[in-house]
């Protein structure tokens, strides 16, 4: 599927060091070793209620990682999916009496325009689930044939809805018992999240899992293929029968298809740590006999008025709504980057006001410094070093912005300070802020 237009590419003098990043699986900040090529997969949206501030902060955070690699001379294969068929999308379409395909396309388009406005570098592969089903279902058939997947009988739910026979689940125990690969790696649940089984069971139920489904071999076994229900979209899929894929297999197999070998970084919001990324790694292992990713990175949650921003609560701040009200997307991006990506934070009007003032100051200071003849670039060159160091150490955008603030104060106070053009480039190339 089409992504969005890339922001203008800006290169900086010299080269940044390879970035370090907090790896959820390792539980600490690690040096990402890739120096020839890196790959990044950030889980995409389910296209309804796009793009709220939680989405925006995640894609801006990993855009900073993308930019860190580019500044270190490392080309990046960036992949992102669109979950363009899924239960909540279908429910919203039914509730609002809109065709689900239309809802998905409209919201995906809105997301594209928001990402473009926020100067997020687009993925090289932007992949919808619907367009992937024809190559995806044979992978599930293969798991089935290898004894790593099984079918469960139908049932009648609490609302009296009859669910048919034949939903397919991944057999986690069988996957866990697969022999180690040549590098000695084998997969087990908990590899990414490090939760106890009780904690996993609790979260699994909260995040769309079905631990109590009768016929499952293990309560945590994830759905691979949901056979056709009346009134739901479905696709013909050989031995599996008509239906549609489960969420984890979609994401992991899109990553597998577009990146050769393990991902450098699998990323997303921290509500995806379990089960999505943790069990997703098991799907990847079962299909490819490789670790899914070398590193896992997660953003904190964004809240509003004391609560996590969520579709179910309806307390969403939408980028498109702020833009429609005339706000500059560069200021929205600055407001996001004023928070460390791993912290949980609350969106407030004050944050946006502060970011707008910051943007005005940057614009003013850069244009003043650009116009000075015979001035010194020294402070701008020092700023480049400071920004590279801050962003190279676990994407510390607040520290990078503090360094830009200090340069702006200096530039406005000292008429010998120049280097405005370099500062403009630093903001564009490393922070995605276009003055
Ligand atoms: Zn995903």
């Amino acid at each position: 599927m089409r992504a969005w237009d890339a922001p203008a590419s800006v290169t900086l003098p010299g080269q940044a060091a390879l970035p370090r990043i907090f790896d959820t699986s390792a539980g600490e900040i690690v040096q990402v070793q890739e120096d020839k090529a890196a790959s990044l997969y950030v889980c995409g949206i389910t296209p309804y209620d796009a793009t709220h501030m939680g989405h925006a902060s995640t894609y801006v955070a990993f855009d900073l990682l993308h930019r860190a690699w580019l500044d270190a001379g490392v080309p990046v294969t960036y992949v992102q999916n669109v979950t363009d068929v899924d239960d909540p999308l279908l429910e919203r379409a039914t509730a609002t009496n809109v065709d689900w395909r239309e809802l998905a396309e409209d919201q995906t388009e809105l997301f594209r325009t928001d990402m473009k406005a926020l100067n997020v570098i687009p993925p090289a592969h932007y992949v919808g689930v619907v367009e992937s089903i024809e190559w995806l279902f044979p992978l599930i058939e293969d798991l089935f044939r290898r004894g790593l997947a099984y079918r469960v009988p139908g049932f009648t739910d609490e609302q009296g809805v009859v669910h048919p026979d034949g939903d397919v689940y991944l057999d986690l125990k069988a996957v866990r018992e697969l022999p180690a690969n040549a590098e000695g790696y084998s997969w087990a649940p908990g590899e990414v999240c490090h939760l106890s089984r009780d904690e996993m069971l609790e979260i699994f139920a909260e995040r769309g899992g079905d631990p109590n489904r009768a016929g499952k071999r293990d309560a945590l076994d994830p759905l691979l293929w949901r056979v056709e229900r009346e009134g739901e979209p479905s696709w013909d899929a050989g031995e599996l029968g008509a239906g549609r894929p489960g969420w984890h297999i979609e994401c992991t197999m899109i990553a597998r298809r577009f990146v050769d070998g393990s991902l450098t970084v699998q990323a997303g919001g921290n509500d995806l740590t379990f089960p999505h990324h943790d069990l997703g790694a098991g799907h990847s292992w079962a299909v490819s006999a490789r670790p899914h990713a070398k590193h896992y990175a997660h953003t904190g949650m964004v809240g509003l008025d004391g609560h996590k921003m969520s579709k179910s609560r309806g307390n969403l701040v939408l980028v498109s709504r702020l833009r429609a009200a005339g706000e500059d997307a560069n200021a929205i991006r600055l407001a996001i980057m004023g928070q460390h990506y791993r912290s949980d934070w609350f969106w407030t009007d004050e944050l946006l006001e502060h970011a707008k003032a910051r943007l005005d100051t940057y614009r003013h200071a850069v244009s003043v410094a650009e116009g000075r003849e015979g001035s010194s670039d020294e402070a701008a060159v020092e700023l480049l070093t400071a920004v590279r160091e801050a962003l190279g150490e676990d994407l510390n955008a607040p520290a990078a912005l503090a360094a830009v603030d200090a340069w702006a104060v200096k530039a406005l106070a000292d008429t010998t300070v120049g280097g405005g053009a370099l500062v403009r480039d630093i903001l564009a190339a490393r922070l995605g802020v276009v003055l």
Side-chain angles (χ1 to χ4, degrees):
M1 130 179 331
R2 179 176 61 82
W4 54 92
D5 297 337
S9 163
V10 176
T11 47
L12 296 167
Q15 199 172 74
L18 290 174
R20 286 160 47 85
I21 191 161
F22 186 90
D23 178 341
T24 309
S25 179
E28 61 183 1
I29 296 175
V30 297
Q31 177 67 59
V32 182
Q33 298 291 354
E34 250 87 332
D35 57 358
K36 301 281 184 291
S39 53
L40 172 68
Y41 188 101
V42 186
C43 288
I45 58 162
T46 298
Y48 70 104
D49 287 340
T51 310
H52 65 67
M53 210 45 73
H55 297 137
S57 72
T58 293
Y59 300 113
V60 165
F62 298 112
D63 186 56
L64 293 175
L65 177 60
H66 194 164
R67 290 168 180 277
W69 273 322
L70 294 181
D71 191 27
V74 179
V76 182
T77 303
Y78 179 21
V79 185
Q80 190 181 130
N81 67 298
V82 186
T83 311
D84 54 1
V85 57
D86 198 15
D87 296 345
L89 168 73
L90 298 173
E91 284 160 20
R92 174 63 61 88
T94 304
T96 53
N97 205 17
V98 182
D99 183 275
W100 64 273
R101 282 159 292 223
E102 223 171 278
L103 175 64
E105 182 43 42
D106 286 354
Q107 292 288 308
T108 304
E109 184 55 24
L110 190 59
F111 178 73
R112 290 186 188 106
T113 54
D114 288 337
M115 289 297 106
K116 184 174 185 300
L118 289 167
N119 304 317
V120 173
I121 300 173
H125 304 284
Y126 192 48
V127 187
V129 167
V130 170
E131 67 185 355
S132 303
I133 291 175
E134 66 176 8
W135 59 259
L136 207 156
F137 80 79
L139 301 173
I140 303 174
E141 284 180 326
D142 191 52
L143 290 171
F144 197 71
R145 279 187 219 114
R146 290 166 57 208
L148 300 173
Y150 60 94
R151 290 181 199 277
V152 299
F155 71 109
T156 304
D157 67 22
E158 287 160 6
Q159 284 79 41
V161 178
V162 178
H163 295 260
D165 290 339
D167 286 344
V168 179
Y169 284 81
L170 185 66
D171 187 334
L172 292 179
K173 182 168 178 288
V175 175
R176 193 179 178 162
E177 287 169 356
L178 286 168
N181 69 7
E183 287 80 44
Y185 173 85
S186 61
W187 174 83
E191 173 190 283
V192 180
C193 67
H194 304 294
L195 297 170
S196 70
R197 183 171 166 88
D198 283 348
E199 290 167 326
M200 286 183 194
L201 282 167
E202 198 183 324
I203 297 174
F204 189 73
E206 286 167 11
R207 297 187 183 154
D210 51 359
N212 301 320
R213 171 86 193 255
K216 281 173 65 170
R217 293 177 186 168
D218 184 306
L220 292 176
D221 286 350
L223 179 71
L224 290 173
W225 188 255
R226 176 180 166 92
V227 293
E228 183 174 19
R229 266 67 164 175
E230 206 186 316
E232 287 185 13
S234 65
W235 288 262
D236 286 330
E239 296 165 30
L240 298 174
R244 58 187 165 96
W247 176 37
H248 313 306
I249 188 88
E250 293 163 4
C251 249
T252 47
M253 291 309 104
I254 288 171
R256 282 273 68 83
R257 186 173 174 90
F258 294 98
V259 171
D260 191 21
S262 301
L263 290 164
T264 308
V265 173
Q266 164 72 63
N270 67 13
D271 54 345
L272 300 186
T273 308
F274 185 86
H276 190 53
H277 292 163
D278 197 282
L279 298 184
H283 293 63
S284 241
W285 169 242
V287 169
S288 69
R290 282 192 182 128
H292 177 65
K294 294 174 182 164
H295 307 289
Y296 292 83
H298 295 102
T299 51
M301 293 290 111
V302 183
L304 183 72
D305 303 332
H307 295 284
K308 178 188 152 183
M309 212 174 277
S310 70
K311 291 156 187 169
S312 50
R313 192 174 277 276
N315 59 341
L316 302 177
V317 176
L318 300 179
V319 172
S320 53
R321 214 170 281 161
L322 292 172
R323 288 172 52 223
E327 303 296 357
D328 186 329
N330 286 288
I332 300 171
R333 183 164 171 134
L334 278 174
I336 291 168
M337 292 190 299
Q339 323 302 313
H340 193 275
Y341 79 97
R342 280 196 288 125
S343 61
D344 296 329
W345 55 282
F346 290 98
W347 177 265
T348 61
D349 293 342
E350 290 72 32
L351 281 181
L352 183 59
E353 290 309 313
H354 177 69
K356 285 158 72 173
R358 205 170 211 174
L359 185 61
D360 285 345
T361 303
Y362 291 179
R363 284 191 167 130
H364 182 48
V366 162
S367 69
V368 166
E370 270 177 334
R372 283 181 182 142
E373 283 179 28
S375 57
S376 163
D377 284 359
E378 196 184 331
V381 172
E382 284 170 7
L383 175 64
L384 175 57
T385 303
V387 167
R388 279 177 167 156
E389 279 176 9
L391 292 169
E393 185 65 13
D394 198 26
L395 312 176
N396 193 343
L401 294 179
V404 182
D405 292 344
W407 176 86
V409 168
K410 208 170 176 180
L412 292 172
D414 182 345
T415 54
T416 67
V417 172
L422 176 57
V423 176
R424 184 187 292 280
D425 284 353
I426 294 168
L427 283 163
R430 293 304 309 262
L431 290 153
V433 173
V434 178
L435 299 184

